[in-house]
Amino acid sequence: MSDLLSVADVAERWGVDEDDVKSAVLDHSLPFIQFGRSSQRIRWARLRFRKDAVAAWELEQQASWAPPEERQRPAASRPQVVDHALRYREVAADPRAAARRQRRLDAQSAGARTSG
C-alpha cells in the first residue's frame, strides 16, 4: 500500500467532498506533492498527499470544544484603551459633553465591578 493519497482518498478519509480538500490546498494549509511539470496551475489529478502530513494537519485542525457552562467567561472589567488625542479634542470642542461622557464611563465601570 502506498503512503501517498489522492484528493479523492483524502476526501473519503474525511467524509467530505473533493472540493473541501481542494479548498484546504488552496488555503496553503494542507501540504501536498504535485507530480509532473511544475507550473503555476495546480493539476488536481497529479496531486498527492503523504499520509503522515495529512495526519499532522488533522491534529493541527482539531478544535477543543467545551460545554457552555465550562467555558471561561471574559473578565467583568477590562482595561479601557484611551485615545488621548481624541480625548483632548473632545474636551477642547465641548468640555461639558466630555465630562458627561466621562461620568457615563465611570458609572459603567463601577457597575461592572459591583455585578462581577
Side-chain angles (χ1 to χ4, degrees):
M1 181 101 178
S2 174
D3 285 339
L4 297 177
L5 303 171
S6 67
V7 173
D9 295 335
V10 175
E12 183 180 336
R13 176 181 173 135
W14 292 347
V16 298
D17 295 328
E18 289 184 19
D19 290 339
D20 294 326
V21 176
K22 292 175 182 179
S23 177
V25 169
L26 293 173
D27 290 344
H28 299 288
S29 61
L30 181 61
F32 63 90
I33 301 167
Q34 183 170 331
F35 291 99
R37 292 180 290 150
S38 63
S39 66
Q40 295 294 329
R41 184 172 169 226
I42 295 177
R43 307 220 187 264
W44 299 108
R46 297 180 184 169
L47 220 59
R48 295 293 180 266
F49 306 90
R50 288 188 6 242
K51 284 183 181 180
D52 58 342
V54 172
W57 186 86
E58 290 168 348
L59 287 174
E60 289 176 6
Q61 300 304 311
Q62 286 181 346
S64 60
W65 183 85
E69 60 274 2
E70 294 178 16
R71 292 184 192 151
Q72 187 176 20
R73 301 201 186 275
S77 63
R78 295 183 178 170
Q80 293 182 353
V81 177
V82 179
D83 182 354
H84 294 286
L86 175 63
R87 180 83 177 109
Y88 177 76
R89 287 192 303 272
E90 284 180 351
V91 171
D94 187 358
R96 290 178 294 188
R100 284 192 301 269
R101 179 177 177 273
Q102 187 60 46
R103 284 195 300 271
R104 186 174 60 247
L105 289 173
D106 291 342
Q108 288 175 352
S109 65
R113 280 182 272 162
T114 58
S115 66

